[in-house]
Amino acid sequence: MGLNNTDVKPTEGQGDDFRLGQHLPGVITTQLQKVINWGRQSSMWYMSFGLACCAIEDIMAAGASRYDLDRLGLFFRASPRQSDLMLVAGTVTEKMAPRIRTLYEQMAEPRYVIALGTCAIAGGPFAGGYNTVLGVDKIIPVDVYVPGCPPRPEALFYGIMKLQEKIRKHGVNPPAPRKAKTAPKEGSKA
């Protein structure tokens, strides 16, 4: 039982003139936006900004042979100018905050940030300290939060897949620049 022109029905949006064999073999048609987003999500180069134990227990473990971030298309780059993803892990202090901001601003557009661990998200057990920033989102905008103390490499993989899903939904142009959340200064009127 062979396939003939009467067995193929046009799908929605193809019109009535669609017939089997009227396409070019080996040619795939798609939207440019989908191809660019697929390339972005499948080849993110990350810059690890490890400030404490989460960097060793999570990022280094996820990059090792058992989990291997390379399988998701993520490759470590030491230079912010070659990175489009920043992984922030550990306690962010007032002293490190300007350096994180500088590295973030040097990254190429579009740029993404994943905050790993309770310390990077909200200050962790050091939240009451005089020099602890209560979350990296006070300094730079964060796309995905991965909670835990320390988070498991599987949690990092889940966060990366959520970021890839977010990238897949955006258009050809990167989204408008995001602002970091800022808390009102003490003594100021809110």
Side-chain angles (χ1 to χ4, degrees), residues 5 19-24:
N5 288 347
R19 298 286 182 262
L20 185 66
Q22 289 184 336
H23 65 280
L24 297 173

Side-chain angles (χ1 to χ4, degrees), residues 8 12 38 87 107 122:
V8 179
E12 187 177 320
W38 172 80
L87 301 176
M107 290 171 59

